[in-house]
Protein backbone atom coordinates (compact mmCIF):
# COMPACT_ATOMS: atom_id res chain seq x y z
CA UNK A 1 0.00 0.00 0.00
CA UNK A 2 1.32 3.41 -0.87
CA UNK A 3 0.66 6.57 1.03
CA UNK A 4 0.63 10.04 -0.45
CA UNK A 5 1.66 13.34 1.00
CA UNK A 6 -1.61 15.09 1.66
CA UNK A 7 -1.90 18.84 1.17
CA UNK A 8 -2.96 19.45 4.75
CA UNK A 9 0.53 18.74 6.03
CA UNK A 10 2.28 21.58 4.31
CA UNK A 11 -0.16 24.30 5.29
CA UNK A 12 -1.12 25.80 8.62
CA UNK A 13 -3.63 24.01 10.78
CA UNK A 14 -5.99 26.96 10.45
CA UNK A 15 -6.20 26.59 6.69
CA UNK A 16 -5.98 22.97 5.88
CA UNK A 17 -6.76 22.42 2.28
CA UNK A 18 -5.10 24.95 0.08
CA UNK A 19 -7.62 26.51 -2.25
CA UNK A 20 -10.48 25.04 -0.31
CA UNK A 21 -10.14 27.11 2.85
CA UNK A 22 -13.49 28.82 2.34
CA UNK A 23 -16.74 26.99 2.87
CA UNK A 24 -17.46 25.08 -0.31
CA UNK A 25 -20.97 26.51 -0.39
CA UNK A 26 -19.78 30.13 -0.21
CA UNK A 27 -17.82 30.25 -3.43
CA UNK A 28 -17.39 27.87 -6.34
CA UNK A 29 -14.76 25.27 -5.62
CA UNK A 30 -12.04 24.95 -8.24
CA UNK A 31 -10.53 21.73 -9.45
CA UNK A 32 -7.39 21.99 -7.30
CA UNK A 33 -9.27 22.86 -4.14
CA UNK A 34 -11.75 20.05 -4.71
CA UNK A 35 -8.97 17.52 -5.19
CA UNK A 36 -7.17 18.71 -2.05
CA UNK A 37 -10.30 18.63 0.09
CA UNK A 38 -11.34 15.22 -1.27
CA UNK A 39 -7.90 13.84 -0.36
CA UNK A 40 -8.21 15.11 3.20
CA UNK A 41 -11.77 13.78 3.52
CA UNK A 42 -10.63 10.36 2.24
CA UNK A 43 -8.10 10.23 5.07
CA UNK A 44 -11.01 10.75 7.50
CA UNK A 45 -13.53 8.50 5.76
CA UNK A 46 -12.60 5.28 7.50
CA UNK A 47 -14.26 3.91 10.65
CA UNK A 48 -10.99 2.85 12.30
CA UNK A 49 -9.35 6.23 11.65
CA UNK A 50 -12.36 8.14 12.98
CA UNK A 51 -12.30 6.03 16.13
CA UNK A 52 -8.54 6.56 16.51
CA UNK A 53 -8.99 10.34 16.34
CA UNK A 54 -11.79 10.10 18.88
CA UNK A 55 -9.75 7.89 21.19
CA UNK A 56 -6.66 10.11 21.03
CA UNK A 57 -8.79 13.17 21.81
CA UNK A 58 -10.42 11.42 24.77
CA UNK A 59 -7.14 10.18 26.23
CA UNK A 60 -5.54 11.71 29.31
CA UNK A 61 -3.67 14.82 28.26
CA UNK A 62 -4.96 14.49 24.69
CA UNK A 63 -2.10 12.17 23.87
CA UNK A 64 -2.13 8.41 23.43
CA UNK A 65 0.43 5.69 22.96
CA UNK A 66 -0.11 3.25 20.12
CA UNK A 67 -0.06 0.65 22.90
CA UNK A 68 -3.29 2.19 24.28
CA UNK A 69 -5.10 2.22 20.94
CA UNK A 70 -4.69 -1.28 19.57
CA UNK A 71 -6.78 -3.36 21.93
CA UNK A 72 -9.93 -1.18 22.01
CA UNK A 73 -10.14 -1.24 18.22
CA UNK A 74 -9.70 -4.99 17.95
CA UNK A 75 -7.22 -4.58 15.11
CA UNK A 76 -3.61 -5.72 14.81
CA UNK A 77 -0.88 -3.29 15.80
CA UNK A 78 0.46 -3.06 12.19
CA UNK A 79 -3.04 -2.16 10.99
CA UNK A 80 -3.46 0.46 13.70
CA UNK A 81 -0.01 1.85 12.93
CA UNK A 82 -0.94 2.11 9.26
CA UNK A 83 -4.10 4.06 10.07
CA UNK A 84 -2.16 6.32 12.45
CA UNK A 85 0.38 7.01 9.70
CA UNK A 86 -2.41 8.04 7.30
CA UNK A 87 -3.72 10.46 9.94
CA UNK A 88 -0.22 11.85 10.59
CA UNK A 89 0.45 12.25 6.86
CA UNK A 90 -2.90 14.01 6.44
CA UNK A 91 -2.01 16.46 9.19
CA UNK A 92 -4.56 15.37 11.78
CA UNK A 93 -2.15 13.82 14.28
CA UNK A 94 1.36 14.49 15.50
CA UNK A 95 3.66 11.61 16.36
CA UNK A 96 6.49 11.70 18.86
CA UNK A 97 8.63 8.82 19.97
CA UNK A 98 9.57 8.48 23.64
CA UNK A 99 11.40 5.37 24.67
CA UNK A 100 9.82 2.27 23.21
CA UNK A 101 6.55 3.81 22.10
CA UNK A 102 5.18 6.38 19.71
CA UNK A 103 2.71 8.88 21.13
CA UNK A 104 0.00 10.58 19.11
CA UNK A 105 -1.88 13.85 19.68
CA UNK A 106 -4.38 15.88 17.66
CA UNK A 107 -3.00 18.72 15.56
CA UNK A 108 -4.83 21.75 16.96
CA UNK A 109 -7.24 23.22 14.45
CA UNK A 110 -6.89 20.55 11.77
CA UNK A 111 -10.33 18.98 12.20
CA UNK A 112 -11.86 22.42 12.65
CA UNK A 113 -10.36 23.56 9.37
CA UNK A 114 -12.04 20.70 7.54
CA UNK A 115 -15.29 21.35 9.41
CA UNK A 116 -15.04 24.98 8.29
CA UNK A 117 -14.95 24.00 4.64
CA UNK A 118 -18.20 22.05 5.03
CA UNK A 119 -20.13 24.43 7.29
CA UNK A 120 -22.63 26.67 5.56
CA UNK A 121 -23.31 28.97 8.50
CA UNK B 1 -22.09 -0.16 -9.45
CA UNK B 2 -24.30 -0.53 -6.42
CA UNK B 3 -25.36 2.23 -4.13
CA UNK B 4 -26.23 1.87 -0.49
CA UNK B 5 -28.75 3.68 1.61
CA UNK B 6 -26.66 5.99 3.73
CA UNK B 7 -27.66 6.68 7.31
CA UNK B 8 -27.96 10.40 6.74
CA UNK B 9 -31.09 9.98 4.66
CA UNK B 10 -33.28 8.51 7.31
CA UNK B 11 -32.48 10.96 10.08
CA UNK B 12 -33.08 14.66 10.49
CA UNK B 13 -30.78 17.11 8.78
CA UNK B 14 -29.70 18.41 12.16
CA UNK B 15 -28.35 15.04 13.25
CA UNK B 16 -26.95 13.31 10.27
CA UNK B 17 -25.05 10.30 11.27
CA UNK B 18 -26.82 8.29 13.88
CA UNK B 19 -24.56 7.66 16.84
CA UNK B 20 -22.04 10.15 15.55
CA UNK B 21 -24.06 13.31 16.14
CA UNK B 22 -21.67 14.60 18.76
CA UNK B 23 -18.25 15.91 17.84
CA UNK B 24 -15.98 12.89 17.53
CA UNK B 25 -13.45 14.55 19.81
CA UNK B 26 -15.98 15.14 22.60
CA UNK B 27 -16.83 11.55 23.38
CA UNK B 28 -15.46 8.21 22.23
CA UNK B 29 -16.96 7.17 18.92
CA UNK B 30 -18.49 3.69 18.86
CA UNK B 31 -18.20 1.24 16.03
CA UNK B 32 -21.66 1.97 14.60
CA UNK B 33 -21.23 5.72 14.70
CA UNK B 34 -17.80 5.49 13.13
CA UNK B 35 -19.10 3.35 10.28
CA UNK B 36 -22.03 5.71 9.68
CA UNK B 37 -19.85 8.82 9.69
CA UNK B 38 -17.23 7.18 7.45
CA UNK B 39 -19.95 6.29 4.95
CA UNK B 40 -21.18 9.88 4.83
CA UNK B 41 -17.62 11.22 4.52
CA UNK B 42 -16.92 8.80 1.66
CA UNK B 43 -19.87 10.29 -0.21
CA UNK B 44 -18.22 13.70 0.14
CA UNK B 45 -14.63 12.60 -0.48
CA UNK B 46 -14.66 12.97 -4.24
CA UNK B 47 -13.54 16.07 -6.17
CA UNK B 48 -16.45 15.99 -8.62
CA UNK B 49 -19.02 15.61 -5.85
CA UNK B 50 -17.51 18.45 -3.82
CA UNK B 51 -17.62 20.68 -6.89
CA UNK B 52 -21.23 19.69 -7.59
CA UNK B 53 -22.26 20.65 -4.06
CA UNK B 54 -20.42 23.94 -4.44
CA UNK B 55 -21.99 24.64 -7.84
CA UNK B 56 -25.52 23.84 -6.67
CA UNK B 57 -25.08 26.13 -3.64
CA UNK B 58 -23.77 28.96 -5.84
CA UNK B 59 -26.57 28.65 -8.40
CA UNK B 60 -29.43 31.13 -8.64
CA UNK B 61 -32.01 30.23 -6.03
CA UNK B 62 -29.75 27.52 -4.62
CA UNK B 63 -31.11 25.07 -7.17
CA UNK B 64 -29.47 23.76 -10.33
CA UNK B 65 -30.53 21.65 -13.26
CA UNK B 66 -28.30 18.75 -14.22
CA UNK B 67 -28.10 20.55 -17.57
CA UNK B 68 -26.26 23.41 -15.80
CA UNK B 69 -23.77 21.17 -14.04
CA UNK B 70 -22.37 18.93 -16.74
CA UNK B 71 -20.37 21.33 -18.89
CA UNK B 72 -18.48 23.17 -16.11
CA UNK B 73 -17.24 19.88 -14.70
CA UNK B 74 -16.07 18.53 -18.05
CA UNK B 75 -17.63 15.15 -17.31
CA UNK B 76 -20.25 13.20 -19.22
CA UNK B 77 -23.87 13.60 -18.17
CA UNK B 78 -24.14 9.95 -17.02
CA UNK B 79 -21.10 10.47 -14.80
CA UNK B 80 -22.50 13.69 -13.37
CA UNK B 81 -25.87 11.99 -12.82
CA UNK B 82 -24.13 9.17 -10.94
CA UNK B 83 -22.34 11.62 -8.63
CA UNK B 84 -25.59 13.52 -8.06
CA UNK B 85 -27.32 10.28 -7.13
CA UNK B 86 -24.63 9.49 -4.57
CA UNK B 87 -25.16 12.94 -3.03
CA UNK B 88 -28.95 12.49 -3.02
CA UNK B 89 -28.66 9.02 -1.46
CA UNK B 90 -26.28 10.41 1.17
CA UNK B 91 -28.79 13.11 2.09
CA UNK B 92 -26.85 16.13 0.86
CA UNK B 93 -29.06 17.02 -2.12
CA UNK B 94 -32.73 16.88 -2.96
CA UNK B 95 -33.84 16.02 -6.46
CA UNK B 96 -37.07 17.15 -8.09
CA UNK B 97 -38.11 16.56 -11.65
CA UNK B 98 -39.82 19.36 -13.58
CA UNK B 99 -40.49 18.80 -17.25
CA UNK B 100 -37.49 17.34 -18.99
CA UNK B 101 -34.92 18.02 -16.31
CA UNK B 102 -34.07 17.08 -12.76
CA UNK B 103 -33.26 19.93 -10.38
CA UNK B 104 -31.00 19.65 -7.37
CA UNK B 105 -30.80 21.69 -4.17
CA UNK B 106 -28.84 21.40 -0.93
CA UNK B 107 -30.58 19.69 1.99
CA UNK B 108 -30.56 22.40 4.66
CA UNK B 109 -28.32 21.49 7.58
CA UNK B 110 -26.84 18.32 6.10
CA UNK B 111 -23.32 19.66 5.49
CA UNK B 112 -23.46 21.52 8.80
CA UNK B 113 -24.32 18.30 10.62
CA UNK B 114 -21.19 16.62 9.23
CA UNK B 115 -19.12 19.71 10.01
CA UNK B 116 -20.46 19.54 13.56
CA UNK B 117 -19.13 16.02 14.03
CA UNK B 118 -15.63 17.16 13.07
CA UNK B 119 -15.50 20.50 14.87
CA UNK B 120 -13.71 20.51 18.19
CA UNK B 121 -14.83 23.96 19.33
Amino acid sequence: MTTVELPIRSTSAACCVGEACSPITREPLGSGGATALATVLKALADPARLRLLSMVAAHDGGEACVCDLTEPLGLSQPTVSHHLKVLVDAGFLTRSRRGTWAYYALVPGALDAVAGTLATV
Side-chain angles (χ1 to χ4, degrees), chain A residues 11-67:
Chain A
T11 56
S12 76
C15 183
C16 69
V17 283
E19 294 177 44
C21 296
S22 299
I24 64 170
T25 55
R26 193 162 69 194
E27 52 191 74
L29 188 59
S31 173
T35 300
L37 181 54
T39 303
V40 170
L41 288 170
K42 278 178 191 157
L44 290 177
D46 179 276
R49 292 200 285 273
L50 289 169
R51 292 189 72 193
L52 283 167
L53 286 172
S54 187
M55 289 162 62
V56 168
H59 215 261
D60 286 349
E63 189 183 59
C65 170
V66 64
C67 58

Coordinates of all heavy atoms in Angstrom, one line a residue, chain A residues 11-67:
Chain A
T11 N 0.5 23.0 5.0 CA -0.2 24.3 5.3 C -0.5 24.4 6.8 O -0.4 23.4 7.5 CB -1.4 24.5 4.5 OG1 -2.3 23.4 4.8 CG2 -1.2 24.5 3.0
S12 N -0.9 25.6 7.2 CA -1.1 25.8 8.6 C -2.4 25.1 9.0 O -3.3 24.8 8.2 CB -1.3 27.3 8.9 OG -2.6 27.7 8.5
A13 N -2.5 24.7 10.3 CA -3.6 24.0 10.8 C -4.9 24.8 10.6 O -6.0 24.2 10.5 CB -3.4 23.7 12.3
A14 N -4.8 26.1 10.6 CA -6.0 27.0 10.5 C -6.5 27.0 9.0 O -7.6 27.5 8.8 CB -5.7 28.4 10.9
C15 N -5.8 26.5 8.1 CA -6.2 26.6 6.7 C -5.7 25.3 6.0 O -4.7 25.3 5.4 CB -5.6 27.8 6.0 SG -6.1 28.0 4.3
C16 N -6.5 24.3 6.1 CA -6.0 23.0 5.9 C -5.9 22.5 4.4 O -5.1 21.7 4.1 CB -6.8 21.9 6.6 SG -8.4 21.8 5.9
V17 N -6.6 23.1 3.6 CA -6.8 22.4 2.3 C -6.5 23.3 1.1 O -7.3 23.3 0.1 CB -8.1 21.7 2.2 CG1 -8.1 20.4 3.0 CG2 -9.3 22.6 2.6
G18 N -5.5 24.1 1.2 CA -5.1 25.0 0.1 C -6.2 25.9 -0.4 O -6.7 26.7 0.4
E19 N -6.6 25.7 -1.7 CA -7.6 26.5 -2.3 C -9.0 26.4 -1.5 O -9.8 27.3 -1.7 CB -7.8 26.1 -3.7 CG -6.7 26.3 -4.6 CD -7.1 25.8 -6.0 OE1 -8.2 26.1 -6.5 OE2 -6.2 25.2 -6.6
A20 N -9.2 25.3 -0.8 CA -10.5 25.0 -0.3 C -10.7 25.5 1.1 O -11.3 24.9 1.9 CB -10.8 23.5 -0.4
C21 N -10.0 26.6 1.5 CA -10.1 27.1 2.8 C -11.5 27.7 3.1 O -12.0 27.6 4.3 CB -9.1 28.2 3.1 SG -7.4 27.6 3.0
S22 N -12.2 28.3 2.1 CA -13.5 28.8 2.3 C -14.5 27.7 2.3 O -14.3 26.6 1.8 CB -13.8 29.8 1.2 OG -12.9 30.9 1.2
P23 N -15.7 28.0 3.0 CA -16.7 27.0 2.9 C -17.1 26.7 1.4 O -17.2 27.6 0.6 CB -17.9 27.7 3.6 CG -17.3 28.6 4.5 CD -16.0 29.1 3.8
I24 N -17.2 25.5 1.1 CA -17.5 25.1 -0.3 C -18.8 25.6 -0.8 O -19.0 25.7 -2.0 CB -17.4 23.5 -0.5 CG1 -18.6 22.8 0.2 CG2 -16.1 23.0 -0.1 CD1 -18.7 21.4 -0.1
T25 N -19.7 26.0 0.1 CA -21.0 26.5 -0.4 C -20.9 28.0 -0.5 O -21.9 28.6 -1.0 CB -22.1 26.1 0.6 OG1 -21.8 26.6 1.9 CG2 -22.3 24.6 0.6
R26 N -19.8 28.7 -0.1 CA -19.8 30.1 -0.2 C -19.3 30.6 -1.6 O -19.7 31.6 -2.1 CB -18.9 30.7 0.9 CG -19.1 32.2 1.1 CD -18.6 32.7 2.4 NE -17.2 32.6 2.5 CZ -16.5 32.7 3.7 NH1 -17.2 32.9 4.8 NH2 -15.2 32.6 3.7
E27 N -18.3 29.9 -2.1 CA -17.8 30.3 -3.4 C -17.5 29.0 -4.2 O -17.2 27.9 -3.6 CB -16.6 31.1 -3.3 CG -15.5 30.6 -2.4 CD -14.4 31.6 -2.2 OE1 -14.7 32.6 -1.4 OE2 -13.3 31.5 -2.7
P28 N -17.6 29.1 -5.5 CA -17.4 27.9 -6.3 C -16.0 27.3 -6.1 O -15.0 28.0 -6.0 CB -17.5 28.4 -7.8 CG -18.4 29.6 -7.7 CD -18.0 30.2 -6.3
L29 N -16.0 26.0 -5.9 CA -14.8 25.3 -5.6 C -14.1 24.9 -6.9 O -14.6 24.3 -7.8 CB -15.2 24.0 -4.8 CG -14.1 23.1 -4.2 CD1 -13.3 23.9 -3.2 CD2 -14.8 22.0 -3.5
G30 N -12.8 25.3 -7.0 CA -12.0 25.0 -8.2 C -11.6 23.5 -8.2 O -11.7 22.8 -7.2
S31 N -11.0 23.1 -9.3 CA -10.5 21.7 -9.4 C -9.5 21.4 -8.4 O -9.5 20.3 -7.8 CB -10.0 21.5 -10.9 OG -9.4 20.3 -11.0
G32 N -8.5 22.3 -8.2 CA -7.4 22.0 -7.3 C -7.9 21.9 -5.9 O -7.5 21.0 -5.1
G33 N -8.7 22.9 -5.5 CA -9.3 22.9 -4.1 C -10.1 21.6 -3.9 O -10.1 21.0 -2.8
A34 N -10.9 21.2 -4.9 CA -11.7 20.1 -4.7 C -10.9 18.8 -4.5 O -11.2 17.9 -3.7 CB -12.7 19.9 -5.9
T35 N -9.8 18.7 -5.3 CA -9.0 17.5 -5.2 C -8.3 17.5 -3.8 O -8.2 16.4 -3.2 CB -7.9 17.5 -6.3 OG1 -8.6 17.5 -7.6 CG2 -7.0 16.3 -6.2
A36 N -7.8 18.6 -3.4 CA -7.2 18.7 -2.1 C -8.1 18.3 -0.9 O -7.8 17.6 0.0 CB -6.6 20.1 -1.8
L37 N -9.3 18.9 -1.0 CA -10.3 18.6 0.1 C -10.7 17.2 0.0 O -10.9 16.5 1.1 CB -11.5 19.6 0.0 CG -12.6 19.4 1.0 CD1 -12.0 19.5 2.4 CD2 -13.7 20.5 0.8
A38 N -10.9 16.6 -1.2 CA -11.3 15.2 -1.3 C -10.3 14.3 -0.7 O -10.6 13.3 0.0 CB -11.6 14.9 -2.7
T39 N -9.0 14.7 -0.9 CA -7.9 13.8 -0.4 C -7.9 13.8 1.2 O -7.7 12.8 1.8 CB -6.6 14.4 -0.9 OG1 -6.6 14.4 -2.3 CG2 -5.4 13.5 -0.4
V40 N -8.2 15.0 1.7 CA -8.2 15.1 3.2 C -9.4 14.4 3.7 O -9.3 13.6 4.8 CB -8.2 16.6 3.6 CG1 -8.5 16.7 5.1 CG2 -6.9 17.3 3.3
L41 N -10.6 14.5 3.1 CA -11.8 13.8 3.5 C -11.6 12.3 3.4 O -12.1 11.5 4.3 CB -13.0 14.2 2.7 CG -13.5 15.7 3.0 CD1 -14.5 16.1 2.0 CD2 -14.1 15.7 4.4
K42 N -10.9 11.8 2.4 CA -10.6 10.4 2.2 C -9.8 9.8 3.4 O -10.0 8.7 3.9 CB -9.9 10.1 0.9 CG -10.8 10.0 -0.3 CD -10.1 9.7 -1.6 CE -11.0 9.9 -2.7 NZ -10.3 10.3 -4.0
A43 N -8.9 10.7 3.9 CA -8.1 10.2 5.1 C -9.0 10.1 6.3 O -8.7 9.2 7.2 CB -7.0 11.2 5.4
L44 N -10.1 10.8 6.4 CA -11.0 10.7 7.5 C -12.1 9.7 7.3 O -12.6 9.1 8.3 CB -11.7 12.1 7.7 CG -11.0 13.3 8.2 CD1 -11.9 14.5 8.3 CD2 -10.4 13.0 9.6
A45 N -12.4 9.3 6.1 CA -13.5 8.5 5.8 C -13.3 7.0 6.0 O -13.5 6.2 5.1 CB -14.0 8.8 4.3
D46 N -12.9 6.7 7.2 CA -12.6 5.3 7.5 C -13.0 5.1 9.0 O -12.6 5.9 9.8 CB -11.1 5.0 7.3 CG -10.8 3.5 7.7 OD1 -10.6 3.3 8.9 OD2 -10.8 2.7 6.8
P47 N -13.8 4.1 9.3 CA -14.3 3.9 10.7 C -13.1 3.8 11.7 O -13.2 4.4 12.7 CB -15.1 2.6 10.6 CG -15.5 2.5 9.2 CD -14.4 3.1 8.4
A48 N -12.1 3.0 11.3 CA -11.0 2.9 12.3 C -10.3 4.2 12.5 O -9.9 4.5 13.7 CB -10.0 1.8 11.8
R49 N -10.1 5.0 11.5 CA -9.4 6.2 11.6 C -10.2 7.2 12.4 O -9.7 8.0 13.2 CB -8.9 6.8 10.3 CG -7.9 5.9 9.6 CD -7.1 6.6 8.5 NE -7.8 6.8 7.3 CZ -7.8 5.9 6.3 NH1 -7.2 4.7 6.4 NH2 -8.5 6.2 5.2
L50 N -11.5 7.2 12.2 CA -12.4 8.1 13.0 C -12.3 7.7 14.5 O -12.3 8.6 15.3 CB -13.8 8.1 12.4 CG -14.0 8.7 11.1 CD1 -15.4 8.4 10.5 CD2 -13.9 10.3 11.2
R51 N -12.3 6.5 14.7 CA -12.3 6.0 16.1 C -10.9 6.3 16.8 O -10.9 6.7 17.9 CB -12.6 4.5 16.2 CG -14.1 4.2 15.9 CD -14.4 2.8 16.2 NE -14.5 2.6 17.7 CZ -14.5 1.4 18.2 NH1 -14.5 0.3 17.5 NH2 -14.6 1.3 19.6
L52 N -9.9 6.2 16.0 CA -8.5 6.6 16.5 C -8.5 8.0 16.9 O -8.0 8.4 18.0 CB -7.5 6.2 15.5 CG -7.1 4.7 15.4 CD1 -6.3 4.5 14.1 CD2 -6.4 4.3 16.6
L53 N -9.0 8.9 16.0 CA -9.0 10.3 16.3 C -9.8 10.6 17.6 O -9.4 11.4 18.5 CB -9.6 11.1 15.2 CG -8.8 11.3 13.9 CD1 -9.6 12.0 12.8 CD2 -7.5 12.2 14.2
S54 N -10.9 9.9 17.7 CA -11.8 10.1 18.9 C -11.1 9.6 20.1 O -11.1 10.2 21.2 CB -13.1 9.3 18.6 OG -14.0 9.6 19.6
M55 N -10.4 8.5 20.0 CA -9.7 7.9 21.2 C -8.6 8.7 21.6 O -8.3 8.9 22.8 CB -9.3 6.5 20.9 CG -10.4 5.5 20.7 SD -10.0 4.0 19.9 CE -8.7 3.3 20.9
V56 N -7.8 9.2 20.7 CA -6.7 10.1 21.0 C -7.2 11.4 21.7 O -6.6 11.8 22.8 CB -5.8 10.5 19.8 CG1 -4.8 11.6 20.1 CG2 -5.1 9.3 19.2
A57 N -8.2 11.9 21.2 CA -8.8 13.2 21.8 C -9.3 12.9 23.2 O -9.2 13.8 24.1 CB -9.9 13.7 21.0
A58 N -9.8 11.7 23.5 CA -10.4 11.4 24.8 C -9.4 11.0 25.8 O -9.7 10.9 27.0 CB -11.5 10.3 24.6
H59 N -8.2 10.7 25.3 CA -7.1 10.2 26.2 C -6.6 11.2 27.2 O -6.6 12.4 26.9 CB -6.0 9.6 25.4 CG -5.4 8.4 26.0 ND1 -4.2 8.4 26.7 CD2 -5.8 7.1 26.0 CE1 -4.0 7.2 27.2 NE2 -4.9 6.4 26.7
D60 N -6.1 10.8 28.3 CA -5.5 11.7 29.3 C -4.5 12.6 28.7 O -3.5 12.1 28.0 CB -4.9 10.9 30.4 CG -5.9 10.3 31.4 OD1 -7.1 10.6 31.3 OD2 -5.5 9.4 32.2
G61 N -4.6 13.9 28.8 CA -3.7 14.8 28.3 C -3.8 15.0 26.8 O -2.9 15.6 26.1
G62 N -4.8 14.4 26.1 CA -5.0 14.5 24.7 C -3.9 13.8 23.9 O -3.6 14.1 22.7
E63 N -3.2 12.9 24.5 CA -2.1 12.2 23.9 C -2.2 10.7 24.2 O -2.5 10.3 25.3 CB -0.8 12.7 24.4 CG 0.4 12.2 23.6 CD 1.7 12.7 24.2 OE1 2.0 12.4 25.4 OE2 2.5 13.4 23.4
A64 N -2.0 9.8 23.2 CA -2.1 8.4 23.4 C -1.0 7.7 22.8 O -0.5 8.0 21.7 CB -3.5 7.9 22.9
C65 N -0.6 6.6 23.5 CA 0.4 5.7 23.0 C -0.2 4.7 22.0 O -1.4 4.3 22.3 CB 1.0 5.0 24.2 SG 2.1 3.6 23.7
V66 N 0.5 4.3 21.0 CA -0.1 3.2 20.1 C -0.5 2.0 20.9 O -1.5 1.3 20.6 CB 0.9 2.9 19.0 CG1 2.1 2.3 19.5 CG2 0.2 2.0 17.9
C67 N 0.2 1.8 22.0 CA -0.1 0.6 22.9 C -1.4 0.8 23.6 O -2.0 -0.2 24.0 CB 1.0 0.5 23.9 SG 1.3 1.9 25.0

